[in-house]
Amino acid sequence: FKENRKDDIWLVDFYAPWCGHCKKLEPVWNEVGIEMKNMGSPVKVGKMDATSFSSIASEFGVRGYPTIKLLKGDLAYNYRGPRTKDDIIEFANRVAGPLIRPLPSQHMFEHVQKRHRVLFVYVGGESPLKEKYIEVASELIVYTYFFSASEDVLPEYVTLPELPAVVVFKDGTYFVYDEYEDGDLSSWINRERFQGYLNVDGFTLYELGDTGKLVAIAVIDDKNSSLEHTRLKSIIQEVARDYRDHFHRDFQFGHMDGNDYINSLLMDDLTIPTIVVLNTSNQQYFLPDRYIENTEDMVQFINSILDGTAEAQGGDGVLQRIKRIIYDAKSTVVSVFKSSPLLGCFLFGLPLGVISIMCYGICTADTDGGVDEHEAAKKENSDRELTDEGSEEEQEEEKNENYTELSDGDLKQKDLLEKKKD
């Protein structure tokens, strides 16, 4: 494979046999292979055990499982989209095809516009802007399509201030790239590759982090058709549509179904329906300080964020990181016990039981050792007393010896006195 892979275009799933996500992807991956073969696609679909062929996985920069890559010549493109059959096939067809797709006629332009919600088109001849456009396309082809066309192919309602130009078609209208206002072309395309209003999930929110935009979300329950849920969603949609020229460089708008993901992100329990503005670059967030009744209130809230008067919460400081570690640990324990109480008791009870036994053994060993040392010390002192004073028999013998010595002395003194008398 390593020697011959450049002869073909390969879509490869790098997996690990023990990985649960890899096992979940396997039936989807089989469907991808079957459908692309039936379509007559030039892309070959395969999978590789990255644990058995670690050198090849390392060569392609595989750091997690599963990792999906499209290998095209010397280039390797990472897939970062949802792991569904249609999304993976769309990615493979987009990246495997031409980097810049020409649009030769208005009919072809209309056909492509119906198929794609976001469409980037280069208009004009050879220029430094086109070279930059090709360079950006080689980097961002994993996310969106890139086309080229002449000015007469575009719809009549499109007016370009000058040529060459880069135009994005989305949200029922179009926007022209302006180097002075929009900055670097790559950054502009990265920001504009999303529609103005999105149904946001965890993956989309992660992708929006690369745009540098703040994300204004109505957190609602899609199954709840009450007035409050639909009202907040409508307010966000109206702001995204009617105030796009004011906020599109700084804000992305959308709604999210349910608050589970938001709760884990904010480490707080948000009551839905509600509105929250997220800064995904530093994990800060903003909550309205008063009730959002209409579009004007929402615009005022957004302006307060832009001018710095709104209070930012969260962040990525040291205290917040410690708080997140504690929150993640707590969430993990709770989720384990909710999903499987017996497994939770085993996972957390067994280590605690072992630690308890070890602590008990250590404490018991210390106590016994202390008694033994005390008895040893007492015995040693007793031995010393016996050594210094001697046994009772030895003391009796010593007394007798002393008595004998005294008696002999008296006798000698008596003999001396008798000799003096003589």
Side-chain angles (χ1 to χ4, degrees), residues 405-419:
E405 290 176 358
L406 290 174
S407 299
D408 292 341
D410 292 342
L411 292 174
K412 289 179 181 179
Q413 188 175 6
K414 186 176 181 181
D415 291 341
L416 182 61
L417 291 174
E418 290 179 352
K419 286 182 181 181

Side-chain angles (χ1 to χ4, degrees), residues 41 44 91 94 108 126 179 228 243 254 333:
S41 171
K44 293 187 175 181
F91 162 81
R94 180 172 65 248
M108 180 61 71
E126 299 296 326
E179 182 178 1
E228 186 65 11
Y243 293 85
V333 173

